[in-house]
Amino acid sequence: ETGVTQTPRHLVMGMTNKKSLKCEQHLGHNAMYWYKQSAKKPLELMFVYNFKEQTENNSVPSRFSPECPNSSHLFLHLHTLQPEDSALYLCASSQGWDRASEKLFFGSGTQLSVL
Amino acid sequence: GESVGLHLPTLSVQEGDNSIINCAYSNSASDYFIWYKQESGKGPQFIIDIRSNMDKRQGQRVTVLLNKTVKHLSLQIAATQPGDSAVYFCAENNKDSSYKLIFGSGTRLLVRP
């Protein structure tokens, strides 16, 4: 186990549904991340939170809404998604965003299918 | 622009042989590199990292080599085992990317018994 837990592991939703992805890290880290992993594409950074403050929004559509209530928990709220949003959504954490050699620790991801 | 890419999308090796996975990067200012392993159904797992002031770094059965002259990074796995079958990603960061990790597309390693 990496110390980063994501739920649910799998999610199927319709385009009109609202759902949330959850991530929890037990590593005492201060930074948390959401990545999108699509088939045959490199990992895409979506959001970064450092000490609960959002420091990065990588031009993500507003139908994805992150929430970071504390340094250990991260959510991704989903609404009115499109089929092309189907992907593996990975959460990661690291000690802190300002360091130049940050190792990311990933969860196992949520495999999302939008019908 | 910045890009990190892999030469071989799939590498097949015999169990017990050594594996070499290659990665090219385009930004000469990159100063930190990292390799991840992703097994089916799991998230990427840290393997080894290296800073630009080093040419080589060794871990347990793995070695990362950095050639800054040709902007090339490689991961060597000694005595490859079935459990090494996975997709391997290289990633880099630099000041230009605000130290955000830039990931390559990945190479799939298949270990033949």
Side-chain angles (χ1 to χ4, degrees):
Chain A
E1 296 298 324
T2 63
V4 181
T5 304
Q6 289 187 243
T7 55
R9 290 297 306 275
H10 302 274
L11 179 62
V12 180
M13 58 187 292
M15 288 189 285
T16 59
N17 291 158
K18 291 184 179 181
K19 297 288 184 183
S20 296
L21 310 185
K22 179 183 177 182
C23 177
E24 182 176 0
Q25 58 95 1
H26 307 276
L27 300 170
H29 288 166
N30 298 304
M32 296 189 77
Y33 309 73
W34 280 116
Y35 277 87
K36 177 183 178 181
Q37 187 174 37
S38 306
K40 300 181 182 179
K41 292 177 72 174
L43 281 164
E44 299 175 70
L45 179 64
M46 300 175 71
F47 301 103
V48 181
Y49 279 81
N50 198 28
F51 292 91
K52 300 189 299 179
E53 298 297 321
Q54 186 179 123
T55 57
E56 184 78 24
N57 178 336
N58 201 23
S59 302
V60 181
S62 59
R63 56 186 184 270
F64 295 90
S65 176
E67 178 189 0
C68 188
N70 54 62
S71 294
S72 299
H73 294 86
L74 186 65
F75 297 89
L76 188 62
H77 303 299
L78 315 172
H79 65 98
T80 61
L81 294 193
Q82 303 299 312
E84 59 265 28
D85 296 322
S86 299
L88 180 68
Y89 289 85
L90 290 160
C91 173
S93 70
S94 68
Q95 288 186 333
W97 178 244
D98 292 332
R99 295 179 57 185
S101 54
E102 285 286 89
K103 297 182 188 62
L104 300 182
F105 292 80
F106 287 88
S108 294
T110 295
Q111 186 65 54
L112 174 68
S113 296
V114 181
L115 304 180
Chain B
E2 300 170 337
S3 67
V4 179
L6 298 171
H7 294 306
L8 300 174
T10 304
L11 176 65
S12 180
V13 299
Q14 189 72 38
E15 180 180 356
D17 287 351
N18 296 334
S19 302
I20 300 176
I21 301 172
N22 297 303
C23 182
Y25 63 95
S26 61
N27 193 331
S28 57
S30 290
D31 47 24
Y32 177 67
F33 305 86
I34 191 167
W35 281 100
Y36 282 92
K37 171 187 179 183
Q38 187 173 21
E39 297 175 86
S40 180
K42 297 184 178 180
Q45 177 185 2
F46 169 81
I47 302 174
I48 193 168
D49 59 355
I50 188 169
R51 293 178 181 271
S52 60
N53 61 354
M54 302 174 67
D55 297 320
K56 178 179 180 179
R57 191 169 188 210
Q58 289 185 293
Q60 186 177 9
R61 278 200 311 118
V62 294
T63 300
V64 55
L65 297 177
L66 176 62
N67 185 331
K68 294 180 286 294
T69 301
V70 295
K71 291 182 284 188
H72 185 267
L73 187 73
S74 68
L75 177 70
Q76 300 180 358
I77 304 174
T80 312
Q81 303 170 358
D84 295 326
S85 293
V87 176
Y88 290 80
F89 296 94
C90 63
E92 62 173 322
N93 74 12
N94 51 65
K95 188 176 181 181
D96 295 341
S97 71
S98 300
Y99 297 109
K100 292 178 289 187
L101 280 175
I102 302 167
F103 286 85
S105 301
T107 293
R108 181 174 300 280
L109 177 65
L110 299 176
V111 182
R112 303 189 303 272

